[in-house]
Amino acid sequence: MKKYLALCFLFVFVISCIEVAPPEPVGPLPAERHLAWHDLQYYAFVHFNMNTFTDMEWGTGGEKPSQFNPSELDAGQWARVAKDAGMKGIIITAKHHDGFCLWPTKTTEHSVKNSPWKDGKGDLLKDLSEACKEYGLKFGIYLSPWDRNAGNYGEPEYVADFHEQLRELLTNYGDVFEVWFDGANGGSGYYGGANETRKIDNRTYYEWDKTTEIVRELQPNAVIFSDAGPDIRWVGTEEGFANETNWSVMRRDEIYPGWPRYVELRSGHEDGTHWLPAEVNTSIRPGWYYHPREDHQVKTLPRLVKTYYESIGRNGNFLLNLPVDARGLVHENDEAALMALKNQIDADFETELAQGKKVTATDVRGNSSAYEAENVNDGDNSTYWATNDSITAADITISFDTPTAVNRIVLQEHIPIGQRVQRFTVQAEIDGKWKTIDKQTTIGYKRILRFDTVEATAIKVSVSFAKGALAISNIELYKAPNFLTPPDIFRYAKGDVSLSVPDKNVEVYYTLDGSKPTTASEKYQDRFMLDQPAMITAIAVNPEDGKQSAAATRYIDVPKSNWKVISTSSGDLSTAWRMIDENPEVFWATDEKVSTPQEVVIDMGKTHELKGFTYWPIQERYPFGIITEYAFSTSTNGKNWNQVSKGEFANIVNSRLEQTVYFQKTEARYIKLKGVKVDGDDMRASFGELGVVTEVE
Ligand code: FUL
């Protein structure tokens, strides 16, 4: 008997030692360079070049090297900021569409070598690559194929120069992790003084095969970005998101090289033929380049957090642009926003809850310990749970000893053998019952789901469709703290007001007299009508720990629901309500090419005691018609006018904030604002929003 038992043990031991083969690869697979790139997740774009000094987004190419003159350029500061922010690398616009080169290239005179910066002895690529090394960051380059400066653009000679520029960049500055080729080819340009429009065929002109060969020869580990590859793809939007369904594979031959079908880039192709994962690029400000007028438009924390979850959380890498300013530094506002994002994300993922907990799966490949369920929470990304070949639907459950609060799940597939999962569900066991939390499609390198906090005794992930046996390397669970940000005070066109916060578990308290609210103040429930002027002050409070946000304050005057724009000197009167809709983002403008000062007249529907007026300039990315000098008149009957104020909106073009002008108290039902001087070549005037300051009755 003893002998028999011993034999049995030996048999079991031998069986479990026999190596079970890993699942067969499915579909196109990532190369080593892809795998290294996926691990980076979050890195910086820096747009800094001639445009920084000309206040442009697309320079014409006719700029002079003498215009490139930063006063405090410090690539070390960029690297420090990126590192502190948790980023893993920096990609620099070595040459943008205007053709100015940030390194002393041999291919053109249009470079730093002819600029006053460091007396023409500077090399920004050298400075930045060294700073990146010092801070342990990867270094990448953006090289625009389109060159509006080059006289030979459009001819084969230019392509030879372009290739030579690439060679210089990939030879002289150490390891490069990513080479970024922009798809833009606008046509018109300076082109050595020809000032004309030149069209090329983007699919053939740049000799992409040769371009790729150069990168492979000089930097075999670098990934090549363009709208559609060959290694990684644009996500098809600059707004900062990937679709929830996001395949890292695409039918590349249909879209590369050349003009891609943008919308498809957001999700990839389920039946893709090449590994072509998405990079989500967006700027921390409206523009890619620095403009002082956008200092107040740095993306808010809620917006940045959303972008994080909709890029990294949706199987994409996050390339966040920092428009370095004309000093040559990352602006203080941008740095503050980056650090706020870092702190928030760190807090969300502070304590991982799944590690070491009991895990069970409905199927384990060959019953082998090499593919056991515990591989998903062993903290080791190279091990994975896998199912048998015929099993493409299975459950994996992580159990807690006691009910545990959870509101985030991180899922990762073992992508070296392909992206597989097509559909899955997440459930939580609450009081002994299973509740569905989310139903989703793809996972890929990484998927993060946010959901309302549940007190769960177990979390189950059920894959219902996959392209092959399952291979999941990682599952993490977290309880992110409630998201505490100052409430957003919004006034609707009808006069009602909302005080919104991104997290519905957070409470909001407010006052209407400018005093600081406490938890004893009015608690916000829903949109409310505000028909009297008020200084609204609101705070958000996390009921879990009593923590309070900073206070948000906004002065709001009488409702405009009965207001009407009754005349304008030109432009479409039927859409003129856009200047009194309470939303400065929605603008209205007079006709183009007008030569006389433009004015608008508003009937407020009833008489008010006025003591001032307000003007929001247009908030568009490419603003126009901003009133820089104004005349403001009032009337009680719409016939007899009284000019109550005339003056200048100082610095309004650079700082496009709401302007408030006070004047001697006066009764009025009609108001008139005239653009005595406007920013631009003609007298066209634009209006983000017009308002009044009334005397409280
Ligand atoms: C676009 C360019 O035209 C913009 O100027 C910017 O460089 C952005 C990242 O890509 O296509």
Side-chain angles (χ1 to χ4, degrees):
M1 187 63 188
K2 258 192 192 161
K3 219 172 172 184
Y4 174 73
L5 265 181
L7 268 175
C8 275
F9 277 125
L10 188 66
F11 180 71
V12 170
F13 179 72
V14 169
I15 288 288
S16 65
C17 286
I18 291 176
E19 225 177 277
V20 176
E24 281 293 309
V26 165
L29 302 181
E32 279 302 322
R33 67 174 81 89
H34 282 124
L35 294 173
W37 173 85
H38 278 288
D39 284 339
L40 296 177
Q41 298 275 278
Y42 180 38
Y43 39 93
F45 221 169
V46 169
H47 274 65
F48 175 77
N49 204 306
M50 186 58 85
N51 292 330
T52 313
F53 302 91
T54 54
D55 203 13
M56 309 265 285
E57 281 288 312
W58 279 12
T60 63
E63 298 77 18
K64 299 273 161 291
S66 58
Q67 291 172 273
F68 183 87
N69 194 12
S71 53
E72 299 171 48
L73 180 50
D74 179 5
Q77 187 253 7
W78 312 359
R80 184 202 37 85
V81 170
K83 183 77 184 180
D84 289 352
M87 296 168 138
K88 296 288 165 50
I90 300 180
I91 300 178
I92 172 76
T93 47
K95 179 183 87 168
H96 203 249
H97 311 325
D98 58 64
F100 188 76
C101 296
L102 294 180
W103 78 105
T105 173
K106 295 202 180 80
T107 60
T108 170
E109 291 304 303
H110 200 51
S111 89
V112 283
K113 73 179 172 206
N114 292 316
S115 79
W117 177 57
K118 291 193 177 174
D119 293 327
K121 305 217 166 44
D123 181 345
L124 188 47
L125 274 285
K126 182 166 181 285
D127 292 359
L128 183 61
S129 58
E130 283 172 3
C132 284
K133 236 171 260 150
E134 187 187 333
Y135 283 90
L137 296 170
K138 304 269 180 205
F139 175 64
I141 54 146
Y142 167 116
L143 181 67
S144 171
W146 184 27
D147 189 323
R148 304 174 99 182
N149 174 264
N152 58 4
Y153 183 79
E155 288 154 31
E157 290 72 28
Y158 167 74
V159 180
D161 288 345
F162 169 61
H163 287 162
E164 190 48 34
Q165 292 174 354
L166 189 58
R167 283 192 172 277
E168 290 177 355
L169 289 170
L170 300 182
T171 308
N172 300 329
Y173 304 104
D175 286 346
V176 170
F177 82 101
E178 180 167 332
V179 180
W180 220 92
F181 293 124
D182 201 306
N185 269 287
S188 68
Y190 170 77
Y191 303 128
N195 285 312
E196 60 188 12
T197 296
R198 294 185 183 172
K199 291 239 155 63
I200 52 94
D201 182 347
N202 188 28
R203 284 167 305 175
T204 52
Y205 178 57
Y206 300 109
E207 299 178 34
W208 288 116
D209 284 351
K210 195 161 172 195
T211 310
T212 301
E213 256 171 48
I214 295 172
V215 180
R216 299 290 190 245
E217 175 203 328
L218 299 172
Q219 298 282 345
N221 300 325
V223 287
I224 305 176
F225 169 101
S226 82
D227 287 351
D231 295 328
I232 58 173
R233 71 176 202 261
W234 185 39
V235 77
T237 167
E238 292 179 351
E239 290 303 302
F241 68 91
N243 279 356
E244 287 190 304
T245 298
N246 185 11
W247 289 97
S248 286
V249 293
M250 289 201 83
R251 299 187 300 272
R252 191 179 73 185
D253 295 341
E254 290 178 17
I255 54 173
Y256 173 83
W259 203 244
R261 304 191 298 247
Y262 292 158
V263 176
E264 292 169 42
L265 298 177
R266 297 180 186 182
S267 286
H269 293 143
E270 185 167 347
D271 59 351
T273 51
H274 292 80
W275 195 263
L276 200 63
E279 183 181 76
V280 179
N281 68 316
T282 193
S283 185
I284 199 162
R285 293 168 175 239
W288 292 99
Y289 280 94
Y290 177 78
H291 311 288
R293 62 176 180 273
E294 291 177 357
D295 280 351
H296 71 296
Q297 289 180 311
V298 177
K299 288 197 167 111
T300 62
L301 180 60
R303 175 71 194 267
L304 288 172
V305 167
K306 183 169 161 9
T307 308
Y308 181 94
Y309 279 105
E310 294 183 356
S311 54
I312 292 176
R314 291 183 179 174
N315 191 30
N317 271 6
F318 182 12
L319 174 59
L320 180 58
N321 180 60
L322 311 177
V324 163
D325 67 21
R327 292 173 301 177
L329 300 173
V330 176
H331 191 273
E332 295 74 358
N333 296 3
D334 304 36
E335 183 177 358
L338 286 172
M339 292 317 296
L341 175 63
K342 161 99 171 40
N343 294 337
Q344 189 61 42
I345 297 301
D346 283 354
D348 282 8
F349 298 103
E350 191 177 321
T351 313
E352 205 284 304
L353 303 167
Q355 203 163 349
K357 297 290 177 304
K358 191 174 147 221
V359 199
T360 52
T362 50
D363 186 73
V364 170
R365 187 172 187 79
N367 282 324
S368 161
S369 57
Y371 303 106
E372 64 191 5
E374 285 82 354
N375 286 341
V376 300
N377 67 342
D378 62 357
D380 177 355
N381 228 357
S382 66
T383 64
Y384 57 99
W385 162 60
T387 59
N388 286 296
D389 283 337
S390 58
I391 306 294
T392 57
D395 299 347
I396 186 160
T397 307
I398 297 174
S399 305
F400 299 115
D401 300 333
T402 51
T404 303
V406 185
N407 58 15
R408 300 279 187 282
I409 184 167
V410 178
L411 297 156
Q412 292 189 273
E413 285 189 75
H414 183 65
I415 56 165
I417 54 173
Q419 185 180 350
R420 294 152 185 264
V421 174
Q422 293 164 301
R423 211 166 297 164
F424 69 99
T425 304
V426 180
Q427 288 173 280
E429 189 187 44
I430 304 161
D431 296 330
K433 286 203 191 87
W434 286 105
K435 179 185 167 209
T436 299
I437 291 175
D438 207 347
K439 284 187 176 185
Q440 288 292 337
T441 51
T442 53
I443 295 178
Y445 174 81
K446 187 182 275 183
R447 189 73 204 273
I448 308 174
L449 302 179
R450 292 182 286 177
F451 46 88
D452 290 345
T453 306
V454 288
E455 292 286 334
T457 41
I459 298 286
K460 188 192 316 188
V461 178
S462 307
V463 177
S464 48
F465 291 94
K467 288 182 175 180
L470 308 185
I472 307 284
S473 61
N474 190 31
I475 301 181
E476 294 168 17
L477 299 169
Y478 296 90
K479 158 67 179 79
N482 291 339
F483 187 17
L484 202 61
T485 60
D488 182 28
I489 305 174
F490 191 80
R491 208 316 155 74
Y492 291 86
K494 291 212 156 57
D496 47 345
V497 168
S498 68
L499 310 175
S500 54
V501 281
D503 189 329
K504 68 175 173 12
N505 299 309
V506 162
E507 296 167 350
V508 173
Y509 296 87
Y510 67 98
T511 61
L512 296 177
D513 60 2
S515 63
K516 173 131 206 291
T518 66
T519 46
S521 308
E522 194 76 36
K523 187 172 174 187
Y524 176 72
Q525 310 285 358
D526 210 345
R527 274 155 79 154
F528 59 90
M529 180 50 83
L530 191 68
D531 46 18
Q532 284 293 310
M535 182 66 84
I536 302 188
T537 310
I539 53 164
V541 178
N542 181 359
E544 281 178 356
D545 56 12
K547 279 206 184 116
Q548 300 187 357
S549 73
T553 301
R554 184 173 161 195
Y555 175 75
I556 286 184
D557 212 283
V558 290
K560 299 175 187 166
S561 44
N562 294 322
W563 288 27
K564 205 164 181 260
V565 183
I566 52 172
S567 77
T568 61
S569 39
S570 71
D572 179 5
L573 188 61
S574 72
T575 56
W577 54 266
R578 296 166 70 98
M579 71 177 95
I580 49 169
D581 66 345
E582 298 285 4
N583 187 354
E585 309 280 332
V586 177
F587 74 94
W588 183 86
T590 62
D591 279 348
E592 284 176 64
K593 312 249 179 294
V594 282
S595 53
T596 50
Q598 302 289 292
E599 60 186 31
V600 295
V601 178
I602 293 168
D603 174 3
M604 297 188 289
K606 75 178 219 194
T607 303
H608 291 288
E609 191 85 54
L610 297 192
K611 60 175 184 184
F613 79 96
T614 58
Y615 169 70
W616 264 106
I618 183 171
Q619 297 296 304
E620 289 297 283
R621 183 162 170 194
Y622 300 108
F624 57 87
I626 296 177
I627 298 176
T628 53
E629 283 181 29
Y630 66 87
F632 188 81
S633 309
T634 61
S635 166
T636 48
N637 56 13
K639 289 186 191 102
N640 309 327
W641 290 94
N642 185 15
Q643 184 173 299
V644 289
S645 180
K646 186 173 180 337
E648 181 188 40
F649 295 130
N651 198 29
I652 188 171
V653 175
N654 281 335
S655 182
R656 290 180 291 151
L657 294 168
E658 187 179 32
Q659 312 287 310
T660 304
V661 174
Y662 293 97
F663 44 75
Q664 197 98 58
K665 212 165 32 174
T666 181
E667 279 211 338
R669 171 170 164 170
Y670 300 89
I671 56 174
K672 185 191 317 187
L673 178 64
K674 181 190 275 190
V676 177
K677 269 200 187 152
V678 290
D679 183 46
D681 299 334
D682 55 25
M683 289 307 297
R684 181 179 207 196
S686 63
F687 305 80
E689 185 72 17
L690 280 187
V692 292
V693 184
T694 62
E695 179 74 7
V696 189
E697 283 134 38

